[in-house]
Coordinates of all heavy atoms in Angstrom, one line a residue:
M1 N 62.9 51.7 -103.7 CA 63.0 50.6 -102.7 C 64.1 49.6 -103.1 O 64.7 49.0 -102.3 CB 61.6 49.9 -102.6 CG 60.5 50.7 -102.0 SD 61.0 51.4 -100.3 CE 60.5 50.1 -99.3
M2 N 64.3 49.5 -104.4 CA 65.3 48.5 -104.9 C 66.7 48.9 -104.3 O 67.5 48.0 -104.1 CB 65.3 48.5 -106.4 CG 64.1 47.9 -107.0 SD 64.0 46.1 -106.8 CE 65.2 45.6 -108.0
F3 N 66.9 50.2 -104.2 CA 68.2 50.6 -103.8 C 68.4 50.7 -102.3 O 69.5 50.5 -101.8 CB 68.5 52.1 -104.3 CG 68.5 52.1 -105.8 CD1 67.5 52.8 -106.5 CD2 69.5 51.4 -106.6 CE1 67.5 52.9 -107.9 CE2 69.5 51.5 -107.9 CZ 68.5 52.2 -108.6
R4 N 67.3 50.9 -101.6 CA 67.5 51.1 -100.1 C 67.9 49.9 -99.3 O 68.8 50.0 -98.5 CB 66.2 51.7 -99.5 CG 66.0 53.1 -100.1 CD 64.9 53.8 -99.3 NE 64.8 55.1 -99.8 CZ 64.0 56.0 -99.3 NH1 63.2 55.7 -98.3 NH2 63.9 57.2 -99.9
L5 N 67.4 48.8 -99.7 CA 67.7 47.6 -98.9 C 69.2 47.2 -99.0 O 69.9 47.1 -98.0 CB 66.8 46.4 -99.3 CG 67.0 45.2 -98.4 CD1 66.8 45.6 -96.9 CD2 66.1 44.1 -98.8
P6 N 69.7 47.1 -100.3 CA 71.2 46.8 -100.4 C 72.1 47.8 -99.7 O 73.0 47.4 -99.0 CB 71.4 46.8 -101.9 CG 70.1 46.5 -102.5 CD 69.1 47.2 -101.6
L7 N 71.7 49.1 -99.8 CA 72.5 50.1 -99.1 C 72.5 49.9 -97.6 O 73.6 50.0 -97.0 CB 71.9 51.5 -99.5 CG 72.9 52.6 -99.5 CD1 74.0 52.4 -100.5 CD2 72.2 53.9 -99.7
A8 N 71.4 49.6 -97.0 CA 71.3 49.3 -95.6 C 72.1 48.1 -95.2 O 72.9 48.2 -94.2 CB 69.8 49.1 -95.2
V9 N 72.1 47.1 -96.0 CA 72.9 45.9 -95.8 C 74.4 46.2 -95.8 O 75.1 45.9 -94.9 CB 72.6 44.8 -96.8 CG1 73.5 43.6 -96.6 CG2 71.1 44.3 -96.5
I10 N 74.8 47.0 -96.8 CA 76.2 47.4 -96.9 C 76.6 48.2 -95.7 O 77.7 48.0 -95.1 CB 76.4 48.2 -98.2 CG1 76.3 47.3 -99.4 CG2 77.8 48.9 -98.2 CD1 76.1 48.0 -100.7
T11 N 75.8 49.1 -95.2 CA 76.1 49.9 -94.1 C 76.3 49.0 -92.8 O 77.2 49.2 -92.1 CB 74.9 50.9 -93.8 OG1 74.7 51.7 -95.0 CG2 75.3 51.9 -92.6
I12 N 75.4 48.1 -92.7 CA 75.5 47.2 -91.5 C 76.8 46.3 -91.6 O 77.5 46.2 -90.6 CB 74.3 46.2 -91.4 CG1 73.1 47.1 -91.0 CG2 74.5 45.1 -90.4 CD1 71.7 46.4 -91.3
V13 N 77.1 45.8 -92.7 CA 78.3 45.0 -92.9 C 79.6 45.9 -92.6 O 80.5 45.4 -91.9 CB 78.4 44.4 -94.3 CG1 79.8 43.8 -94.6 CG2 77.3 43.4 -94.5
A14 N 79.6 47.1 -93.1 CA 80.7 48.0 -92.9 C 80.9 48.3 -91.4 O 82.0 48.3 -90.8 CB 80.5 49.3 -93.6
A15 N 79.7 48.5 -90.7 CA 79.8 48.8 -89.3 C 80.3 47.6 -88.5 O 81.2 47.7 -87.6 CB 78.4 49.2 -88.7
A16 N 79.9 46.4 -88.9 CA 80.3 45.2 -88.2 C 81.8 45.0 -88.5 O 82.6 44.6 -87.6 CB 79.5 44.0 -88.7
G17 N 82.3 45.3 -89.7 CA 83.7 45.2 -90.1 C 84.6 46.0 -89.2 O 85.6 45.6 -88.8
S18 N 84.1 47.3 -89.0 CA 85.0 48.2 -88.2 C 85.1 47.7 -86.8 O 86.1 47.9 -86.1 CB 84.4 49.6 -88.3 OG 83.2 49.7 -87.6
L19 N 84.0 47.1 -86.2 CA 84.1 46.5 -84.9 C 85.1 45.3 -84.9 O 85.9 45.2 -84.0 CB 82.7 46.0 -84.4 CG 81.7 47.1 -84.0 CD1 80.4 46.5 -83.6 CD2 82.3 47.8 -82.8
L20 N 84.9 44.5 -85.9 CA 85.7 43.3 -86.0 C 87.2 43.6 -86.1 O 88.0 42.9 -85.5 CB 85.3 42.5 -87.3 CG 85.6 41.0 -87.3 CD1 84.9 40.3 -86.2 CD2 85.2 40.5 -88.7
Y21 N 87.5 44.7 -86.7 CA 88.9 45.0 -86.9 C 89.5 46.1 -86.0 O 90.5 46.6 -86.2 CB 89.2 45.4 -88.4 CG 88.9 44.3 -89.3 CD1 87.8 44.3 -90.2 CD2 89.7 43.1 -89.3 CE1 87.6 43.2 -91.1 CE2 89.4 42.0 -90.1 CZ 88.4 42.1 -91.0 OH 88.1 41.0 -91.8
A22 N 88.7 46.4 -84.9 CA 89.2 47.3 -83.9 C 90.5 46.7 -83.4 O 90.6 45.5 -83.2 CB 88.2 47.5 -82.8
G23 N 91.5 47.6 -83.3 CA 92.9 47.1 -83.0 C 93.0 46.6 -81.6 O 92.4 47.1 -80.7
Q24 N 94.0 45.7 -81.4 CA 94.4 45.3 -80.1 C 95.9 45.6 -80.0 O 96.6 45.3 -81.0 CB 94.1 43.9 -79.8 CG 92.7 43.6 -79.7 CD 92.4 42.2 -79.1 OE1 93.2 41.3 -79.1 NE2 91.2 42.1 -78.5
H25 N 96.4 46.1 -78.9 CA 97.8 46.4 -78.7 C 98.3 45.8 -77.4 O 97.6 46.0 -76.4 CB 97.9 47.9 -78.7 CG 97.3 48.6 -79.8 ND1 98.1 48.9 -81.0 CD2 96.1 49.0 -80.1 CE1 97.2 49.5 -81.9 NE2 96.0 49.6 -81.3
A26 N 99.4 45.1 -77.4 CA 99.9 44.5 -76.2 C 100.9 45.4 -75.6 O 101.8 46.0 -76.2 CB 100.5 43.2 -76.6
V27 N 100.8 45.6 -74.3 CA 101.8 46.3 -73.5 C 102.2 45.3 -72.3 O 101.4 44.7 -71.7 CB 101.2 47.6 -72.9 CG1 102.1 48.2 -71.8 CG2 100.9 48.6 -74.0
S28 N 103.5 45.2 -72.1 CA 104.1 44.3 -71.1 C 104.4 45.1 -69.8 O 104.8 46.3 -69.9 CB 105.3 43.7 -71.7 OG 105.9 42.9 -70.7
Q29 N 104.1 44.5 -68.7 CA 104.6 45.0 -67.4 C 105.7 44.0 -67.0 O 105.4 42.9 -66.6 CB 103.5 45.0 -66.4 CG 102.3 46.0 -66.8 CD 101.1 45.8 -65.9 OE1 100.5 44.7 -65.8 NE2 100.7 46.9 -65.2
K30 N 106.9 44.5 -67.0 CA 108.1 43.7 -66.7 C 109.1 44.5 -66.0 O 109.4 45.7 -66.4 CB 108.6 43.0 -67.9 CG 109.5 41.8 -67.6 CD 109.7 41.0 -68.9 CE 110.4 39.7 -68.5 NZ 110.7 38.8 -69.6
A31 N 109.8 43.9 -65.0 CA 110.9 44.6 -64.3 C 110.4 46.0 -63.8 O 111.1 47.0 -63.7 CB 112.1 44.8 -65.2
R32 N 109.1 46.0 -63.4 CA 108.4 47.2 -62.8 C 108.4 48.3 -63.8 O 108.6 49.5 -63.4 CB 109.0 47.5 -61.5 CG 108.9 46.3 -60.5 CD 109.2 46.6 -59.1 NE 109.2 45.4 -58.3 CZ 109.0 45.3 -57.0 NH1 108.8 46.4 -56.3 NH2 109.0 44.1 -56.4
L33 N 108.3 48.0 -65.1 CA 108.2 49.1 -66.1 C 107.1 48.6 -67.1 O 106.8 47.4 -67.3 CB 109.5 49.2 -66.9 CG 110.7 49.7 -66.2 CD1 111.9 49.6 -67.0 CD2 110.5 51.2 -65.8
F34 N 106.4 49.7 -67.7 CA 105.6 49.4 -68.8 C 106.5 49.4 -70.1 O 107.4 50.2 -70.2 CB 104.5 50.5 -69.0 CG 103.4 50.5 -68.0 CD1 103.4 51.4 -67.0 CD2 102.4 49.6 -68.1 CE1 102.3 51.4 -66.0 CE2 101.3 49.6 -67.2 CZ 101.3 50.5 -66.2
S35 N 106.2 48.4 -71.0 CA 107.0 48.4 -72.2 C 106.0 48.1 -73.4 O 105.3 47.1 -73.3 CB 108.0 47.3 -72.1 OG 108.8 47.2 -73.3
P36 N 106.0 48.9 -74.4 CA 106.8 50.1 -74.6 C 106.3 51.2 -73.7 O 105.3 51.1 -73.1 CB 106.5 50.5 -76.1 CG 105.2 49.9 -76.4 CD 105.1 48.6 -75.6
G37 N 107.1 52.3 -73.7 CA 106.8 53.4 -72.8 C 105.7 54.4 -73.4 O 105.2 55.2 -72.7
A38 N 105.4 54.2 -74.7 CA 104.4 55.0 -75.3 C 103.9 54.3 -76.6 O 104.7 53.6 -77.3 CB 105.0 56.4 -75.8
I39 N 102.6 54.4 -76.8 CA 102.0 53.8 -78.0 C 101.0 54.7 -78.6 O 100.4 55.6 -77.8 CB 101.4 52.4 -77.8 CG1 100.3 52.5 -76.7 CG2 102.4 51.4 -77.4 CD1 99.5 51.2 -76.6
T40 N 100.7 54.6 -79.9 CA 99.7 55.4 -80.5 C 98.6 54.4 -81.1 O 99.0 53.4 -81.7 CB 100.2 56.3 -81.6 OG1 101.2 57.2 -81.1 CG2 99.1 57.0 -82.3
I41 N 97.4 54.6 -80.7 CA 96.3 53.7 -81.1 C 95.2 54.6 -81.7 O 95.2 55.8 -81.7 CB 95.8 52.9 -79.9 CG1 95.1 53.8 -78.9 CG2 96.9 52.2 -79.2 CD1 94.4 53.0 -77.8
N42 N 94.2 53.9 -82.3 CA 93.0 54.5 -82.8 C 91.9 54.4 -81.8 O 91.8 53.5 -81.0 CB 92.5 53.9 -84.1 CG 93.5 54.1 -85.2 OD1 94.0 55.2 -85.5 ND2 93.9 53.0 -85.9
V43 N 90.9 55.4 -81.9 CA 89.8 55.4 -81.0 C 89.1 54.0 -81.2 O 88.9 53.6 -82.4 CB 88.8 56.5 -81.4 CG1 87.5 56.4 -80.6 CG2 89.4 57.9 -81.0
G44 N 88.7 53.4 -80.1 CA 88.0 52.1 -80.2 C 88.9 50.9 -80.0 O 88.5 49.8 -79.9
D45 N 90.2 51.2 -80.1 CA 91.2 50.1 -79.9 C 91.3 49.7 -78.4 O 91.0 50.5 -77.5 CB 92.6 50.5 -80.4 CG 92.7 50.5 -81.9 OD1 91.7 50.2 -82.6 OD2 93.8 50.9 -82.4
T46 N 91.8 48.5 -78.2 CA 91.9 47.9 -76.9 C 93.4 47.7 -76.6 O 94.1 47.2 -77.5 CB 91.2 46.6 -76.7 OG1 89.8 46.8 -76.9 CG2 91.4 45.9 -75.4
V47 N 93.8 48.1 -75.4 CA 95.2 47.8 -75.0 C 95.1 46.7 -74.0 O 94.4 46.7 -73.0 CB 95.9 49.0 -74.4 CG1 97.3 48.7 -73.9 CG2 95.9 50.2 -75.4
I48 N 95.9 45.6 -74.2 CA 96.0 44.5 -73.3 C 97.3 44.7 -72.5 O 98.4 44.6 -73.1 CB 96.0 43.2 -74.1 CG1 94.8 43.1 -74.9 CG2 96.2 42.0 -73.1 CD1 94.8 42.0 -76.0
F49 N 97.2 44.9 -71.2 CA 98.3 45.0 -70.3 C 98.6 43.7 -69.7 O 97.9 43.1 -68.9 CB 98.0 46.0 -69.2 CG 97.7 47.4 -69.7 CD1 96.4 47.8 -70.0 CD2 98.7 48.3 -69.9 CE1 96.1 49.1 -70.5 CE2 98.4 49.6 -70.4 CZ 97.1 50.0 -70.7
K50 N 99.7 43.1 -70.1 CA 100.1 41.7 -69.7 C 101.1 41.8 -68.6 O 102.2 42.5 -68.7 CB 100.7 41.0 -70.9 CG 101.2 39.6 -70.6 CD 100.1 38.6 -70.8 CE 100.5 37.2 -70.2 NZ 101.5 36.6 -70.9
N51 N 100.8 41.2 -67.5 CA 101.8 41.1 -66.4 C 102.8 40.0 -66.6 O 102.5 38.9 -66.4 CB 101.0 40.9 -65.1 CG 102.0 41.0 -63.9 OD1 103.2 40.9 -64.1 ND2 101.5 41.1 -62.7
D52 N 104.0 40.4 -67.2 CA 105.1 39.5 -67.4 C 106.1 39.5 -66.3 O 107.3 39.2 -66.5 CB 105.7 39.9 -68.8 CG 104.8 39.7 -70.0 OD1 104.2 38.6 -70.0 OD2 104.8 40.5 -70.9
D53 N 105.7 40.0 -65.2 CA 106.6 40.2 -64.1 C 106.4 39.1 -63.0 O 105.5 38.2 -63.1 CB 106.3 41.6 -63.5 CG 107.6 42.3 -63.1 OD1 108.6 41.6 -62.8 OD2 107.6 43.5 -63.1
S54 N 107.1 39.2 -61.9 CA 107.0 38.2 -60.8 C 106.2 38.8 -59.6 O 106.1 38.2 -58.6 CB 108.4 37.8 -60.4 OG 109.1 38.9 -60.0
V55 N 105.7 40.0 -59.8 CA 104.9 40.7 -58.8 C 103.6 41.2 -59.4 O 103.4 41.3 -60.6 CB 105.7 41.9 -58.2 CG1 107.0 41.5 -57.5 CG2 106.0 42.9 -59.3
T56 N 102.7 41.5 -58.5 CA 101.3 42.0 -58.8 C 101.5 43.4 -59.4 O 102.3 44.2 -58.9 CB 100.4 42.0 -57.6 OG1 100.3 40.7 -57.0 CG2 99.0 42.5 -58.0
H57 N 100.7 43.7 -60.5 CA 100.7 45.0 -61.0 C 99.2 45.5 -61.1 O 98.3 44.7 -60.9 CB 101.3 45.1 -62.4 CG 102.8 45.0 -62.3 ND1 103.6 46.0 -61.7 CD2 103.7 44.1 -62.9 CE1 104.9 45.7 -61.8 NE2 105.0 44.6 -62.5
H58 N 99.1 46.7 -61.5 CA 97.8 47.4 -61.6 C 97.9 48.4 -62.7 O 99.0 48.7 -63.2 CB 97.7 48.2 -60.2 CG 96.5 49.1 -60.1 ND1 96.6 50.4 -59.9 CD2 95.2 48.8 -60.0 CE1 95.4 50.9 -59.8 NE2 94.5 50.0 -59.8
V59 N 96.8 48.9 -63.2 CA 96.7 49.8 -64.3 C 95.6 50.8 -64.1 O 94.5 50.5 -63.8 CB 96.4 49.1 -65.7 CG1 96.4 50.1 -66.8 CG2 97.5 48.0 -66.0
Y60 N 96.0 52.1 -64.1 CA 94.9 53.2 -64.1 C 95.4 54.4 -64.8 O 96.6 54.6 -65.1 CB 94.6 53.5 -62.6 CG 95.6 54.4 -61.9 CD1 95.4 55.8 -61.8 CD2 96.8 53.9 -61.4 CE1 96.3 56.6 -61.1 CE2 97.7 54.7 -60.7 CZ 97.4 56.0 -60.6 OH 98.3 56.8 -59.9
S61 N 94.5 55.3 -65.1 CA 94.8 56.6 -65.6 C 94.0 57.6 -64.9 O 92.7 57.5 -64.7 CB 94.4 56.7 -67.1 OG 94.5 58.1 -67.5
A62 N 94.6 58.7 -64.4 CA 94.0 59.8 -63.7 C 94.0 61.0 -64.7 O 93.6 62.1 -64.2 CB 94.7 60.1 -62.4
T63 N 94.3 60.8 -65.9 CA 94.3 61.9 -66.9 C 92.9 62.4 -67.1 O 92.0 61.5 -67.4 CB 95.0 61.5 -68.2 OG1 96.3 61.0 -68.0 CG2 95.0 62.6 -69.2
R64 N 92.7 63.7 -67.1 CA 91.4 64.2 -67.2 C 90.7 63.8 -68.5 O 91.4 64.0 -69.6 CB 91.4 65.7 -67.1 CG 90.0 66.4 -67.1 CD 90.2 67.9 -67.1 NE 90.8 68.3 -65.9 CZ 90.2 69.2 -65.0 NH1 89.0 69.7 -65.4 NH2 90.8 69.6 -63.9
G65 N 89.5 63.2 -68.5 CA 88.8 62.8 -69.7 C 89.2 61.4 -70.1 O 88.5 60.8 -70.9
Q66 N 90.2 60.8 -69.5 CA 90.7 59.4 -69.8 C 90.8 58.6 -68.6 O 91.5 57.6 -68.5 CB 92.1 59.5 -70.5 CG 92.1 60.3 -71.8 CD 91.5 59.6 -73.0 OE1 91.1 58.4 -72.9 NE2 91.3 60.3 -74.1
E67 N 90.0 58.9 -67.5 CA 90.1 58.2 -66.3 C 89.6 56.8 -66.4 O 88.5 56.5 -66.9 CB 89.3 58.9 -65.2 CG 89.9 60.3 -64.9 CD 89.2 61.4 -65.6 OE1 88.5 61.1 -66.7 OE2 89.3 62.6 -65.2
F68 N 90.3 55.8 -65.8 CA 89.8 54.5 -65.6 C 90.7 53.8 -64.6 O 91.8 54.3 -64.3 CB 89.8 53.7 -66.9 CG 91.2 53.3 -67.5 CD1 91.8 52.1 -67.1 CD2 91.9 54.2 -68.3 CE1 93.1 51.8 -67.6 CE2 93.1 53.9 -68.8 CZ 93.7 52.7 -68.4
E69 N 90.3 52.7 -64.1 CA 91.1 51.8 -63.2 C 90.7 50.4 -63.4 O 89.5 50.0 -63.4 CB 90.8 52.2 -61.7 CG 91.7 51.4 -60.8 CD 91.5 51.8 -59.3 OE1 90.7 52.7 -59.0 OE2 92.3 51.2 -58.5
L70 N 91.7 49.5 -63.6 CA 91.5 48.1 -63.8 C 91.8 47.3 -62.5 O 92.5 47.9 -61.6 CB 92.4 47.6 -65.0 CG 92.2 48.4 -66.3 CD1 93.1 47.8 -67.4 CD2 90.7 48.3 -66.7
E71 N 91.3 46.1 -62.5 CA 91.7 45.2 -61.3 C 93.2 45.0 -61.3 O 93.8 45.0 -62.4 CB 90.9 43.9 -61.5 CG 89.4 44.0 -61.6 CD 88.8 43.9 -60.3 OE1 89.2 43.1 -59.5 OE2 87.8 44.6 -60.1
T72 N 93.7 44.7 -60.2 CA 95.1 44.3 -60.1 C 95.3 42.9 -60.9 O 94.3 42.1 -60.9 CB 95.6 44.1 -58.7 OG1 94.8 43.2 -58.0 CG2 95.6 45.4 -57.9
A73 N 96.4 42.7 -61.5 CA 96.7 41.5 -62.2 C 97.9 40.8 -61.6 O 99.0 41.4 -61.4 CB 97.0 41.9 -63.7
E74 N 97.7 39.5 -61.4 CA 98.8 38.7 -60.9 C 99.8 38.3 -62.0 O 99.4 38.4 -63.2 CB 98.3 37.4 -60.2 CG 97.3 37.7 -59.1 CD 98.0 38.5 -58.0 OE1 99.1 38.1 -57.6 OE2 97.4 39.4 -57.5
P75 N 101.0 37.9 -61.7 CA 101.9 37.4 -62.7 C 101.2 36.4 -63.7 O 100.6 35.5 -63.2 CB 103.0 36.8 -61.9 CG 103.1 37.5 -60.6 CD 101.6 37.8 -60.3
G76 N 101.4 36.7 -65.0 CA 100.8 35.8 -66.0 C 99.4 36.3 -66.4 O 98.9 35.8 -67.5
D77 N 98.8 37.1 -65.6 CA 97.4 37.6 -66.0 C 97.5 38.9 -66.9 O 98.6 39.5 -67.0 CB 96.6 37.9 -64.7 CG 96.2 36.6 -64.0 OD1 96.3 35.5 -64.6 OD2 95.7 36.8 -62.9
D78 N 96.4 39.2 -67.4 CA 96.3 40.5 -68.1 C 95.1 41.3 -67.8 O 94.2 40.8 -67.2 CB 96.5 40.3 -69.7 CG 95.4 39.4 -70.3 OD1 94.2 39.6 -69.9 OD2 95.8 38.6 -71.1
A79 N 95.1 42.6 -68.1 CA 94.0 43.5 -67.9 C 93.8 44.3 -69.2 O 94.8 44.6 -69.9 CB 94.3 44.4 -66.7
R80 N 92.6 44.6 -69.5 CA 92.3 45.2 -70.8 C 91.5 46.5 -70.7 O 90.6 46.6 -69.8 CB 91.4 44.3 -71.7 CG 92.2 43.1 -72.1 CD 91.2 41.9 -72.5 NE 92.0 40.7 -72.7 CZ 92.2 40.2 -73.9 NH1 91.6 40.6 -75.0 NH2 93.0 39.1 -74.0
Q81 N 91.9 47.4 -71.5 CA 91.1 48.7 -71.5 C 90.9 49.1 -73.0 O 91.8 49.2 -73.8 CB 91.9 49.8 -70.8 CG 91.3 51.1 -70.8 CD 90.0 51.2 -70.0 OE1 89.7 50.3 -69.2 NE2 89.2 52.3 -70.2
T82 N 89.6 49.4 -73.3 CA 89.3 50.0 -74.6 C 89.2 51.5 -74.5 O 88.6 52.0 -73.5 CB 88.0 49.4 -75.1 OG1 88.1 48.0 -75.2 CG2 87.6 50.0 -76.5
F83 N 89.9 52.2 -75.4 CA 89.9 53.7 -75.3 C 88.9 54.2 -76.3 O 89.0 54.0 -77.5 CB 91.3 54.1 -75.6 CG 92.3 53.8 -74.5 CD1 92.9 52.6 -74.5 CD2 92.6 54.7 -73.5 CE1 93.8 52.2 -73.5 CE2 93.5 54.4 -72.5 CZ 94.1 53.2 -72.5
T84 N 88.0 55.0 -75.8 CA 86.8 55.4 -76.6 C 86.8 56.9 -77.0 O 86.0 57.4 -77.6 CB 85.5 55.1 -75.9 OG1 85.5 55.7 -74.6 CG2 85.4 53.6 -75.8
K85 N 87.9 57.6 -76.4 CA 87.9 59.0 -76.7 C 89.3 59.4 -77.2 O 90.3 58.9 -76.6 CB 87.6 59.8 -75.4 CG 86.1 59.9 -75.1 CD 85.9 60.9 -74.0 CE 86.2 60.3 -72.7 NZ 85.8 61.2 -71.6
R86 N 89.4 60.3 -78.1 CA 90.7 60.8 -78.6 C 91.4 61.5 -77.5 O 90.8 62.1 -76.5 CB 90.4 61.9 -79.6 CG 90.5 61.5 -81.0 CD 90.0 62.7 -81.9 NE 89.1 62.2 -82.9 CZ 89.4 61.7 -84.1 NH1 90.6 61.7 -84.5 NH2 88.5 61.2 -84.9
G87 N 92.7 61.5 -77.5 CA 93.5 62.3 -76.5 C 94.8 61.5 -76.2 O 95.3 60.7 -76.9
R88 N 95.2 61.9 -75.0 CA 96.5 61.3 -74.5 C 96.2 60.9 -73.0 O 95.8 61.8 -72.2 CB 97.5 62.4 -74.6 CG 98.9 62.1 -74.0 CD 99.8 63.4 -74.1 NE 101.1 63.1 -73.8 CZ 101.6 63.2 -72.5 NH1 100.7 63.4 -71.5 NH2 102.9 63.0 -72.2
A89 N 96.5 59.7 -72.7 CA 96.3 59.2 -71.4 C 97.7 58.8 -70.8 O 98.4 58.0 -71.4 CB 95.4 58.0 -71.4
E90 N 97.9 59.3 -69.6 CA 99.1 58.8 -68.9 C 98.6 57.6 -68.0 O 97.7 57.7 -67.2 CB 99.7 59.9 -67.9 CG 101.0 59.3 -67.3 CD 101.6 60.3 -66.3 OE1 100.9 60.6 -65.3 OE2 102.7 60.8 -66.5
I91 N 99.3 56.5 -68.3 CA 98.9 55.2 -67.6 C 99.9 55.0 -66.5 O 101.1 55.1 -66.7 CB 99.0 54.0 -68.6 CG1 98.2 54.3 -69.9 CG2 98.6 52.7 -68.0 CD1 96.8 54.6 -69.7
R92 N 99.4 54.6 -65.3 CA 100.3 54.3 -64.2 C 99.8 53.0 -63.5 O 98.7 52.5 -63.7 CB 100.2 55.5 -63.2 CG 100.6 56.8 -63.9 CD 100.6 58.0 -63.0 NE 101.6 57.9 -62.0 CZ 102.0 58.9 -61.2 NH1 101.3 60.0 -61.2 NH2 102.9 58.7 -60.3
C93 N 100.7 52.6 -62.6 CA 100.4 51.4 -61.7 C 100.3 51.9 -60.3 O 101.2 52.6 -59.8 CB 101.6 50.4 -61.9 SG 101.4 49.1 -60.6
G94 N 99.2 51.7 -59.7 CA 99.0 52.1 -58.3 C 99.9 51.5 -57.3 O 100.0 52.0 -56.2
L95 N 100.5 50.4 -57.6 CA 101.4 49.7 -56.7 C 102.9 50.1 -56.8 O 103.6 50.0 -55.9 CB 101.3 48.2 -56.9 CG 99.9 47.6 -56.8 CD1 99.9 46.1 -57.1 CD2 99.3 47.9 -55.4
H96 N 103.2 50.7 -58.0 CA 104.6 51.1 -58.3 C 104.6 52.5 -58.9 O 104.4 52.6 -60.1 CB 105.3 50.0 -59.2 CG 105.2 48.6 -58.7 ND1 104.4 47.7 -59.2 CD2 105.9 48.1 -57.6 CE1 104.6 46.6 -58.5 NE2 105.4 46.8 -57.6
P97 N 104.8 53.5 -58.1 CA 104.6 54.9 -58.5 C 105.6 55.2 -59.7 O 105.3 56.1 -60.4 CB 104.9 55.7 -57.3 CG 104.6 54.8 -56.2 CD 105.0 53.4 -56.6
G98 N 106.7 54.5 -59.9 CA 107.6 54.8 -61.0 C 107.1 54.2 -62.3 O 107.7 54.6 -63.3
M99 N 106.1 53.4 -62.3 CA 105.6 52.8 -63.6 C 104.7 53.8 -64.3 O 103.6 54.1 -63.8 CB 104.9 51.5 -63.3 CG 105.8 50.4 -62.9 SD 104.9 48.9 -62.6 CE 104.3 48.4 -64.2
R100 N 105.1 54.3 -65.5 CA 104.3 55.2 -66.3 C 104.4 54.9 -67.7 O 105.5 54.5 -68.2 CB 104.7 56.6 -66.0 CG 104.6 57.1 -64.6 CD 105.2 58.5 -64.5 NE 105.1 58.9 -63.1 CZ 104.9 60.2 -62.7 NH1 104.9 61.1 -63.7 NH2 104.8 60.5 -61.5
M101 N 103.4 55.1 -68.5 CA 103.5 55.1 -69.9 C 102.4 56.0 -70.5 O 101.5 56.5 -69.8 CB 103.3 53.7 -70.5 CG 101.9 53.2 -70.4 SD 101.6 51.7 -71.5 CE 101.8 52.4 -73.1
I102 N 102.5 56.3 -71.8 CA 101.6 57.2 -72.5 C 100.9 56.4 -73.6 O 101.5 55.7 -74.3 CB 102.3 58.3 -73.1 CG1 103.1 59.2 -72.1 CG2 101.4 59.2 -74.0 CD1 102.2 59.9 -71.1
V103 N 99.5 56.6 -73.6 CA 98.8 56.1 -74.7 C 98.2 57.3 -75.5 O 97.4 58.1 -74.9 CB 97.6 55.1 -74.3 CG1 96.8 54.7 -75.5 CG2 98.2 53.9 -73.5
N104 N 98.6 57.4 -76.7 CA 98.0 58.5 -77.6 C 96.9 57.9 -78.4 O 97.1 56.9 -79.1 CB 99.1 59.0 -78.5 CG 100.2 59.8 -77.8 OD1 99.9 60.8 -77.2 ND2 101.4 59.3 -77.8
I105 N 95.7 58.5 -78.3 CA 94.5 57.9 -79.0 C 94.1 58.9 -80.1 O 93.8 60.0 -79.8 CB 93.4 57.7 -78.0 CG1 93.8 56.9 -76.8 CG2 92.2 57.0 -78.7 CD1 93.9 57.7 -75.5
K106 N 94.2 58.4 -81.3 CA 94.0 59.3 -82.5 C 92.5 59.2 -82.9 O 91.9 58.1 -83.0 CB 94.9 58.8 -83.7 CG 96.3 59.0 -83.5 CD 97.1 59.0 -84.8 CE 97.0 57.7 -85.5 NZ 97.7 57.6 -86.7
Ligands
CU1 CU1 103.1 47.7 -60.8

């Protein structure tokens, strides 16, 4: 019993630590492009899509297994997506068909 409690505490602290340090990655939407055009992140990381443009933007993925759609974002606003599965997601804007980027999730 002497060993079990400290071990449990260590496990909880480690789990909390990994949540605390889940990465955040900024992607800009500017001049009707995503920038950068590709990023690599870890499972559990969040990508913040910042609208640095003068027009409304949108973010979605129709990639199989990585599907999501965020609310449209006005200039100055951002939209966030946490990626919970390994793989590769093609990110697009529903308002500007030429806007595409890749998120690789390790
Ligand atoms: Cu757009």
